[in-house]
Amino acid sequence: MQSLTIQPARAIRGEITVPGDKSISHRAIMFGSIAQGITTVRGFLRGEDNFATLNAFRAMGIGIEDDGEMLRIKGMGLHGLDEPEDVLDCGNSGTSMRLITGLLAGQRFFSVLTGDRYLRKRPMARVIEPLSEMGGCIFGRAGGDKAPLAIVGKELTGATYSSRVASAQVKSAILLAGLYASGETEVREPHLSRDHSERMLRHFGAVVETFDGGVRMQGGRELEGRDIIVPGDISSAAFFLVAATIVPGSELLIRGVGVNPTRTGIIDILIAMGADIELLDLRQASGEPVADLLVRSARLKGIEIGGDLVPRAIDEFPIICVAASLAEGRTVIRDARELRVKETDRIAAMAANLRKGGVQIVETEDGMEITGRETLLGSVAESFGDHRIAMSMLVAGLVADGESEVRDVECISTSFPDFSGLLAKVMLV
Ligand code: S3P
């Protein structure tokens, strides 16, 4: 088990680019593999989660060349995948498992998906239930809720499904199955979750209709290979936005970050807390908005966070907890029950870690209340096998009153292999 130590920083300064967006990188492989013809992908995230997806499609016979700069996917059309000879291993990646389950439900073959010990604990009924309503035949442990999952490909029929959770993984799994289903597929969700699948489907030539509260699509139509440029991941940029905000005397430019409005909750939350963040040179790449983000340090104040802001910042709560720990007054997070079923229980994990840093935290069922302080105490934090907990606690270490340590940091390579290298580049000690 590897640990990292981190020293307090004098400032965060300079200019960086962050690695490609994880959600968009997964989708580029998936849609490229089942489209007709060549898809190229630039800016692909070279993290373990995305390689799990890439390897799964290679195992189903898709040719994917990688010259280190660009991927070249030889799409074989909707029915061009081969039955995998072995179990497909999704590693730590919930997106791989849930989306690929949707895609495999409508194939003419049998397949099995598994993952690491963390992923095998995460709920899968949320995708199996709607896919079963479409005619899917999927078995899993724990009464059909946990991986390994066995998928017997079936002919699917389009359905209308109202999801109880605002989840892009659930929505995307249903849309992927919907590509294979007869008739129309419609998904409704309580709040709008990230819409990368809808945007990318359109980019690949699909007719996707979005309306207030949901999305609908016709099945049975082939996609066409396309060129994709993956923007920088705002979820990775988030660690640097908070670092440069909380370390006094900082100024950082983060170039080429995806600013899809379904993902920019972190910017809205930090600005509401008093942060100084500017969006510069707003542009488009492959149907996604992109900008450079300029951030300068600022004194934060506590706020209340809930409702539709939650899915727009769903992966950023660990680092929001760090920002709240340094804010003046109390931050209240509610409507965020989903955090309990992420890579780990992120409410419990951040509460345990930040308490060691001297922060006063009250855990609630669907969130937490955090009372900020001037500095944190240097401490030893645990990642709980969760990349975003590990990176958040390293950022917390920048404003501690001495050295801090984060244990079990290998997980960082699922989404941001060079995180500490990049941090070292902009950190003045
Ligand atoms: C993702 C959706 C979100 C997010 C995850 C990536 C996606 O999960 O937390 O990191 O790529 O669709 P949920 O759909 O479970 O909210």
Side-chain angles (χ1 to χ4, degrees):
M1 205 167 67
Q2 206 184 312
S3 294
L4 281 171
T5 53
I6 181 117
Q7 309 295 332
R10 273 200 298 117
I12 303 292
R13 291 192 159 263
E15 200 181 302
I16 55 170
T17 56
V18 289
D21 186 280
K22 182 150 77 73
S23 294
I24 297 174
S25 296
H26 281 299
R27 286 159 174 80
I29 300 273
M30 295 179 195
F31 293 129
S33 295
I34 59 169
Q36 290 182 324
I38 302 295
T39 286
T40 61
V41 188
R42 288 186 172 78
F44 179 73
L45 171 59
R46 293 169 178 282
E48 286 171 5
D49 277 15
N50 294 107
F51 282 116
T53 291
L54 186 148
N55 290 334
F57 283 87
R58 278 191 175 147
M60 292 189 281
I62 299 299
I64 306 176
E65 289 165 23
D66 180 2
D67 67 6
E69 273 288 302
M70 185 185 89
L71 300 181
R72 194 167 178 279
I73 305 170
K74 195 158 175 251
M76 300 298 283
L78 280 182
H79 289 284
L81 300 176
D82 297 336
E83 181 173 82
E85 283 176 18
D86 203 347
V87 172
L88 301 174
D89 187 356
C90 299
N92 188 247
S93 175
T95 308
S96 308
M97 181 165 286
R98 295 199 179 111
L99 269 60
I100 292 175
T101 298
L103 195 155
L104 293 180
Q107 303 297 327
R108 296 168 180 152
F109 57 70
F110 172 77
S111 51
V112 180
L113 298 179
T114 193
D116 71 7
R117 66 193 168 102
Y118 301 101
L119 184 54
R120 292 196 308 271
K121 285 200 190 107
R122 297 182 65 188
M124 295 296 146
R126 56 178 59 196
V127 291
I128 295 173
E129 213 177 274
L131 296 173
S132 303
E133 281 183 24
M134 297 171 77
C137 180
I138 302 160
F139 302 91
R141 289 188 308 116
D145 189 33
K146 304 273 159 71
L149 304 179
I151 305 166
V152 184
K154 292 281 181 194
E155 285 197 8
L156 304 179
T157 316
T160 295
Y161 188 76
S162 291
S163 178
R164 282 184 303 275
V165 284
S167 160
Q169 293 180 355
V170 170
K171 174 172 63 178
S172 304
I174 299 170
L175 291 176
L176 278 157
L179 286 171
Y180 292 86
S182 59
E184 196 173 78
T185 294
E186 187 173 304
V187 193
R188 293 167 182 265
E189 50 184 352
H191 298 288
L192 180 60
S193 64
R194 64 188 67 188
D195 65 355
H196 303 302
S197 295
E198 295 90 309
R199 286 172 187 256
M200 200 179 288
L201 276 164
R202 283 201 191 102
H203 187 63
F204 276 88
V207 181
V208 177
E209 194 190 325
T210 46
F211 54 92
D212 195 20
V215 49
R216 70 174 75 88
M217 189 193 66
Q218 280 293 330
R221 302 203 181 143
E222 291 286 347
L223 306 176
E224 282 166 39
R226 288 282 192 267
D227 296 323
I228 295 174
I229 296 173
V230 181
D233 198 328
I234 190 167
S235 296
S236 297
F239 301 108
F240 288 91
L241 290 176
V242 171
T245 297
I246 62 179
V247 178
S250 300
E251 180 170 323
L252 184 70
L253 181 66
I254 314 175
R255 288 203 185 272
V257 181
V259 287
N260 179 318
T262 61
R263 298 284 301 281
T264 47
I266 179 65
I267 296 179
D268 296 348
I269 288 167
L270 288 174
I271 287 177
M273 293 176 83
D276 178 356
I277 301 173
E278 283 178 65
L279 269 70
L280 308 173
D281 192 15
L282 192 61
R283 49 208 190 262
Q284 291 279 322
S286 315
E288 293 278 350
V290 180
D292 301 333
L293 306 181
L294 179 64
V295 53
R296 297 188 186 92
S297 37
R299 189 80 189 106
L300 299 179
K301 57 179 192 307
I303 59 164
E304 303 209 350
I305 305 167
D308 60 7
L309 249 185
V310 173
R312 293 182 55 236
I314 192 65
D315 289 339
E316 282 60 80
F317 281 92
I319 195 64
I320 290 167
C321 291
V322 174
S325 298
L326 278 308
E328 189 187 326
R330 208 164 58 119
T331 295
V332 181
I333 300 169
R334 58 171 72 94
D335 306 325
R337 191 172 283 108
E338 275 295 297
L339 297 179
R340 298 216 178 260
V341 290
K342 292 295 175 189
E343 285 80 332
T344 188
D345 176 342
R346 287 181 170 164
I347 295 174
M350 287 310 291
N353 280 330
L354 289 169
R355 275 185 194 128
K356 290 191 208 162
V359 185
Q360 200 187 314
I361 298 187
V362 180
E363 251 191 70
T364 58
E365 178 46 33
D366 67 345
M368 58 220 282
E369 295 177 12
I370 302 172
T371 306
R373 41 183 288 149
E374 284 286 319
T375 58
L376 303 178
L377 311 173
S379 63
V380 180
E382 302 289 337
S383 76
F384 300 92
D386 182 326
H387 55 137
R388 299 200 199 282
I389 303 290
M391 290 185 276
S392 297
M393 292 313 299
L394 287 168
V395 171
L398 299 173
V399 290
D401 61 1
E403 184 177 277
S404 305
E405 184 181 334
V406 183
R407 286 154 49 94
D408 195 7
V409 292
E410 287 88 345
C411 51
I412 291 175
S413 43
T414 59
S415 71
F416 202 160
D418 191 32
F419 174 74
S420 21
L422 205 54
L423 184 57
K425 204 180 120 190
V426 292
M427 172 179 166
L428 306 183
V429 282

